[in-house]
Amino acid sequence: MRFSLALPRESLSVRVLRRVLGDALRGLGVAEDCIGDILVAASEACTNVVQHSRTPLDYEVLAQVDDGVCVLSIADHGQGLTHEPPPEVADHSESGRGIKIMRALVDDVTFDTRPGEGTVVRLCKRLTWRDEAPMPRLEGDLVHSAR
């Protein structure tokens, strides 16, 4: 499954993303706690765009579920990061808490920034499924039928 959204750089867009992404993951049969982790991490990434990208242009979210992994790419068209986010942020730090939250909730967080062109935040998380989830069975059927 793959879909993309172009969203205005407004705080309301974060709620729209949470709704669309959450509904899609629930439809595939992803476990609620896993969905919660993904939605909080995605919200943090999108909120950073809304608050810091300093461009009137839309931002884009690409969501992909493949082989039991959810990959989200959140891309803005701002000035790009002036420095790579530190691997760890101090608990008392005034900024960077969102990055710490993202790193705690998903398996991998990467930043690709290009000065003057924008930043792409990539979030990856291995999915856990509800017992009755259709997606793992569908993937198994596709593998079996390809043999």
Side-chain angles (χ1 to χ4, degrees):
M1 177 200 78
R2 181 177 12 187
F3 68 87
S4 64
L5 299 169
L7 298 163
R9 201 180 58 79
E10 299 174 8
S11 59
L12 183 60
S13 69
V14 178
R15 288 179 30 205
V16 171
L17 169 76
R18 288 177 62 91
R19 179 60 177 253
V20 171
L21 180 58
D23 287 351
L25 293 172
R26 281 181 194 92
L28 295 174
V30 176
E32 270 312 309
D33 60 335
C34 187
I35 292 171
D37 290 349
I38 292 168
L39 294 182
V40 171
S43 296
E44 291 294 335
C46 292
T47 298
N48 283 345
V49 170
V50 169
Q51 292 179 348
H52 302 296
S53 74
R54 293 187 173 90
T55 179
L57 299 174
D58 290 352
Y59 67 101
E60 299 166 17
V61 178
L62 174 66
Q64 183 173 339
V65 172
D66 189 26
D67 200 24
V69 176
C70 178
V71 178
L72 299 175
S73 298
I74 297 96
D76 71 43
H77 304 286
Q79 293 302 308
L81 297 171
T82 56
H83 56 81
E84 183 73 15
E88 288 300 321
V89 179
D91 290 336
H92 62 277
S93 176
E94 285 297 314
S95 65
R97 290 186 195 134
I99 294 168
K100 188 172 186 174
I101 290 168
M102 286 185 269
R103 287 186 170 137
L105 295 174
V106 299
D107 300 317
D108 189 42
V109 179
T110 59
F111 297 86
D112 180 16
T113 189
R114 295 168 199 235
E117 295 180 28
T119 300
V120 177
V121 178
R122 188 168 179 261
L123 308 171
C124 300
K125 181 157 180 85
R126 176 140 311 272
L127 300 173
T128 55
W129 305 96
R130 294 188 321 256
D131 289 339
E132 71 281 2
M135 193 64 173
R137 291 193 315 259
L138 178 61
E139 286 180 346
D141 290 345
L142 292 175
V143 170
H144 182 69
S145 67
R147 292 184 184 163

